[in-house]
Amino acid sequence: SGSPEPAPRRSRFSSGPPPEGQRGGFGGSPNITDALEVARRLALAKASVGNESAMRAMGIMPSTPDQGSMHMGAIERCQQFGAFVKIDNNFGHGMCHISEFPNEKRGRFESAQDVERVFPPGQRVWVRVMEIKEGGKVALSMAGVDQMTGAYDASQATGRSGFPRFDKTPDMDSVHHGVVKRVERYGVFVALDGWADGMCHVSQLARNRRYHDAAEVGADHPVGSPIWVRVCEVKEGNRVELSAKDLDQATGARLPPEPSRGPASGAGLGYGGGGHYGQPRKTPELASVHKGTVRRVEAYGCFVTLGEYGDGLVHVSNILSGVRLNGVEEVAARAPLGSEVYVYVKEIKPDGKFELSMKRCDQKTGDVLPDDATPGLVGAHERRAGILSVWLCYVAPAAAPRPGRG
């Protein structure tokens, strides 16, 4: 007859390859070859516990790639800050930060989904091992890596602002003429020609300047501007710490050592009476009047810079007479950021910090006004004193035992 011949029956434990169209292994009928291989690997894994080299050789434990080596891998998952890559040949996993993406793929990513649009999970990529961190974590980079061939070109490995990035670190205490590549509230990142980039903290930018936000830092050191820097420290992972305050920014010559600090001068790093970085702080005279600039606004008051004397705090209760200010918005309305105000030195503390008052000064002329108690406003101290007075006058006598009784 013309009916097709039935397919030959296959043993459940056949060691040969399955017929075409039938799945082998554990997807369909179990394959005894696959089962024996799994059993062998499990037995070897149990026998090799504690022997990391043997486990890596069998593929049970991932190997650690060499720093600077190139590898193929697949995007495993994405986060807002970067992409995790599964590296081929049992080299485990690594993370590529968004700042290490290829130049043409860099951008502002608001979510993990934005990163996935650039590097969807499963996409094959070439990566370069930048650093092996503590705990075996692998930091990867795709910057400067040709995604077609895997070739690495250091001149194409650029940072966020398009400056070439190098891995060679400069010598300690060496001086370099660099370019500001990025500005943050805490400092600037500097591109050093032929060397790894470095970071100059705000405390190291100038001896006589205090910075409160990125706008102030960028005003003095805009992106692309030249800057002379000295290498202070080279940290783990080729992180270079720089200083600019010890160098003449016109010539790069080293400045004379800073005067030694007194006990109170160390407070200059904080707000409220702080002096300039690296210089002994002068203290204004008590009850003197000065014209300063509002540098910072908080709910509890504002900080005013008085030139060589540094910053002092004007408490919210000393900004305006007869008005209680609540919140940053109300304080900023009376003492806008960057505005010039007259202040009266109300108190100088033992550590050299000083408190200021705006309400003691005529803000048009700078004349000193009388220290009058603000009508209608009762502070915490006065409130507690009033409660104590009421208790002493009325409650205590009534609670005291009368003479002649029990």
Side-chain angles (χ1 to χ4, degrees), residues 61-78:
M61 177 181 289
S63 301
T64 303
D66 295 330
Q67 186 168 331
S69 57
M70 311 296 299
H71 301 271
M72 275 287 285
I75 302 294
E76 193 171 40
R77 60 189 176 91
C78 296

Side-chain angles (χ1 to χ4, degrees), residues 132-218:
I132 308 298
K133 299 185 176 181
E134 186 178 357
K137 295 181 180 178
V138 181
L140 303 173
S141 174
M142 288 186 269
V145 180
D146 189 322
Q147 291 300 314
M148 297 296 294
T149 64
Y152 174 65
D153 184 354
S155 65
Q156 299 299 316
T158 58
R160 296 183 184 181
S161 301
F163 295 92
R165 179 178 58 247
F166 301 89
D167 294 329
K168 188 178 178 182
T169 56
D171 295 332
M172 287 285 294
D173 202 44
S174 56
V175 175
H176 303 267
H177 199 207
V179 178
V180 176
K181 61 179 290 188
R182 182 154 59 99
V183 176
E184 300 289 350
R185 61 176 178 80
Y186 49 84
V188 297
F189 288 86
V190 180
L192 306 177
D193 188 15
W195 305 96
D197 298 342
M199 198 275 283
C200 187
H201 190 264
V202 288
S203 64
Q204 299 296 320
L205 285 173
R207 291 184 177 183
N208 57 352
R209 182 74 165 91
R210 180 190 300 278
Y211 298 95
H212 299 85
D213 52 40
E216 291 187 7
V217 177

Side-chain angles (χ1 to χ4, degrees), residues 40-61:
R40 185 186 69 85
R41 290 172 64 86
L42 288 174
L44 289 173
K46 186 175 181 181
S48 302
V49 172
N51 188 342
E52 293 188 3
S53 59
M55 296 178 73
R56 287 195 176 97
M58 290 184 295
I60 299 169
M61 177 181 289

Side-chain angles (χ1 to χ4, degrees), residues 40-374:
R40 185 186 69 85
R41 290 172 64 86
L42 288 174
L44 289 173
K46 186 175 181 181
S48 302
V49 172
N51 188 342
E52 293 188 3
S53 59
M55 296 178 73
R56 287 195 176 97
M58 290 184 295
I60 299 169
M61 177 181 289
S63 301
T64 303
D66 295 330
Q67 186 168 331
S69 57
M70 311 296 299
H71 301 271
M72 275 287 285
I75 302 294
E76 193 171 40
R77 60 189 176 91
C78 296
Q79 295 290 344
Q80 181 181 355
F81 51 82
F84 290 86
V85 179
K86 188 177 188 306
I87 308 172
D88 291 355
N89 300 319
N90 194 42
F91 280 117
H93 308 262
M95 198 276 286
C96 183
H97 191 265
I98 54 175
S99 62
E100 299 298 331
F101 285 179
N103 296 335
E104 65 276 9
K105 301 254 177 137
R106 287 205 187 104
R108 185 176 181 85
F109 301 99
E110 301 292 344
S111 64
Q113 288 71 27
D114 290 345
V115 180
E116 286 181 353
R117 294 187 187 100
V118 177
F119 288 107
Q123 178 176 330
R124 302 283 293 171
V125 293
W126 277 100
V127 292
R128 175 173 167 269
V129 178
M130 286 186 60
E131 182 184 357
I132 308 298
K133 299 185 176 181
E134 186 178 357
K137 295 181 180 178
V138 181
L140 303 173
S141 174
M142 288 186 269
V145 180
D146 189 322
Q147 291 300 314
M148 297 296 294
T149 64
Y152 174 65
D153 184 354
S155 65
Q156 299 299 316
T158 58
R160 296 183 184 181
S161 301
F163 295 92
R165 179 178 58 247
F166 301 89
D167 294 329
K168 188 178 178 182
T169 56
D171 295 332
M172 287 285 294
D173 202 44
S174 56
V175 175
H176 303 267
H177 199 207
V179 178
V180 176
K181 61 179 290 188
R182 182 154 59 99
V183 176
E184 300 289 350
R185 61 176 178 80
Y186 49 84
V188 297
F189 288 86
V190 180
L192 306 177
D193 188 15
W195 305 96
D197 298 342
M199 198 275 283
C200 187
H201 190 264
V202 288
S203 64
Q204 299 296 320
L205 285 173
R207 291 184 177 183
N208 57 352
R209 182 74 165 91
R210 180 190 300 278
Y211 298 95
H212 299 85
D213 52 40
E216 291 187 7
V217 177
D220 285 358
H221 301 281
V223 172
S225 63
I227 183 172
W228 283 99
V229 290
R230 179 179 64 86
V231 178
C232 297
E233 184 180 359
V234 178
K235 297 184 176 180
E236 183 181 0
N238 292 346
R239 293 179 296 168
V240 182
E241 296 287 338
L242 305 171
S243 174
K245 69 177 184 178
D246 299 328
L247 303 175
D248 186 324
Q249 288 303 311
T251 64
R254 295 177 185 262
L255 298 175
E258 301 178 60
S260 59
R261 296 185 175 188
S265 63
L269 298 179
Y271 291 107
H276 301 302
Y277 293 109
Q279 293 184 340
R281 183 180 64 253
K282 296 182 180 179
T283 304
E285 294 183 8
L286 187 64
S288 58
V289 174
H290 304 265
K291 193 173 187 180
T293 304
V294 177
R295 287 293 186 184
R296 182 181 167 201
V297 177
E298 299 290 350
Y300 52 83
C302 64
F303 292 91
V304 179
T305 296
L306 305 182
E308 61 182 352
Y309 300 117
D311 295 352
L313 170 66
V314 181
H315 189 263
V316 65
S317 61
N318 290 307
I319 293 179
L320 193 64
S321 295
V323 177
R324 184 184 296 278
L325 304 178
N326 298 304
V328 177
E329 293 78 9
E330 293 189 10
V331 174
R334 301 294 182 178
L337 192 67
S339 63
E340 292 188 339
V341 295
Y342 284 103
V343 291
Y344 175 88
V345 181
K346 180 180 178 182
E347 180 184 356
I348 298 177
K349 298 185 177 181
D351 60 0
K353 296 182 180 180
F354 49 89
E355 292 190 6
L356 306 173
S357 173
M358 287 174 56
K359 71 179 184 181
R360 289 295 309 275
C361 298
D362 186 315
Q363 291 303 313
K364 293 183 178 179
T365 64
D367 295 337
V368 179
L369 301 176
D371 186 14
D372 58 335
T374 304

